[in-house]
Amino acid sequence: MDEAIEAPPLSRKQRVTDIQENVELRIEPTPAELAEIVALLDLVALDGLAFTYRLHRTAGGRVLLTGRLRPRVTQTCVVTLEPLESVVDIPVEDEFWPTPQIEELAREATDPDTTVPLDWPDAIVEGVIDLGPVVYESLATALDPYPKKPGASFQWSQGADDGEGQESGPFAALKRLKDS
């Protein structure tokens, strides 16, 4: 089965050999990348999406990423369908491991007596890491899946009298079909 793999909406590749230790860096998406992220996450607006981060090389050729996202996100309220703005503060921590170490971890994961990390590391592929997917995935998982304005509530109506002494609504229509 040959499935095409979609490119991530944001990609920022970094050679491991070019990592600057203890230097705070920043990623900001281009307008086109921002528009794609807004569309993929079904947002009304996304402002101030910038990822500040630091990279640290660790033992075994691994890389530790620490950073923070603080975008202003506008979603649609699931009750009122009005725009709902919020500022999301997302701490980000991720590890990148050489591919052979991830393959070994995958083999160990099948052994019931072995403990594996809850957060699976990302791969270092040919000496390169991609920080863009980490930014996108961190934002996506931090969003409220059912944003609701404060005080908004959904009032379900089973159906009211239609003025002719009959209830309305889908269940009332089914009942009338059954009774006829």
Side-chain angles (χ1 to χ4, degrees):
M1 190 160 128
D2 185 26
E3 292 183 26
I5 298 175
E6 279 189 41
L10 183 62
S11 180
R12 293 295 185 281
K13 295 186 177 182
Q14 169 79 49
R15 292 203 63 71
V16 173
T17 55
D18 295 340
I19 290 175
Q20 301 172 24
E21 294 281 340
N22 296 317
V23 174
E24 188 168 280
L25 301 167
R26 185 176 175 95
I27 293 174
E28 291 186 41
T30 65
E33 291 168 331
L34 198 58
E36 187 174 359
I37 292 169
V38 166
L40 285 170
L41 298 178
D42 196 25
L43 301 174
V44 175
L46 179 59
D47 299 307
L49 179 60
F51 178 54
T52 54
Y53 67 96
R54 291 176 187 263
L55 294 170
H56 305 281
R57 283 180 274 198
T58 62
R62 299 175 182 177
V63 175
L64 175 65
L65 165 71
T66 56
R68 185 166 297 279
L69 282 167
R70 287 190 191 102
R72 193 170 49 258
V73 178
T74 306
Q75 294 178 277
T76 301
C77 173
V78 297
V79 177
T80 65
L81 301 180
E82 296 173 356
L84 175 62
E85 187 176 299
S86 62
V87 174
V88 185
D89 187 7
I90 310 163
V92 177
E93 191 170 300
D94 200 0
E95 281 189 274
F96 294 87
W97 290 13
T99 304
Q101 291 179 20
I102 293 177
E103 290 167 355
E104 177 62 28
L105 184 63
R107 282 190 292 279
E108 290 175 5
T110 60
D111 181 1
D113 296 328
T114 304
T115 303
V116 294
L118 292 176
D119 291 331
W120 204 261
D122 289 313
I124 299 173
V125 180
E126 298 177 5
V128 177
I129 60 176
D130 193 352
L131 303 174
V134 175
V135 174
Y136 172 75
E137 292 165 7
S138 298
L139 174 63
T141 57
L143 293 175
D144 185 348
Y146 303 103
K148 188 175 93 169
K149 281 191 162 193
S153 66
F154 182 72
Q155 301 298 320
W156 176 259
S157 173
Q158 181 56 39
D161 186 26
D162 67 0
E164 297 178 12
Q166 292 186 350
E167 289 185 15
S168 64
F171 294 109
L174 288 172
K175 185 174 188 262
R176 283 193 299 272
L177 285 173
K178 181 181 170 193
D179 292 343
S180 61

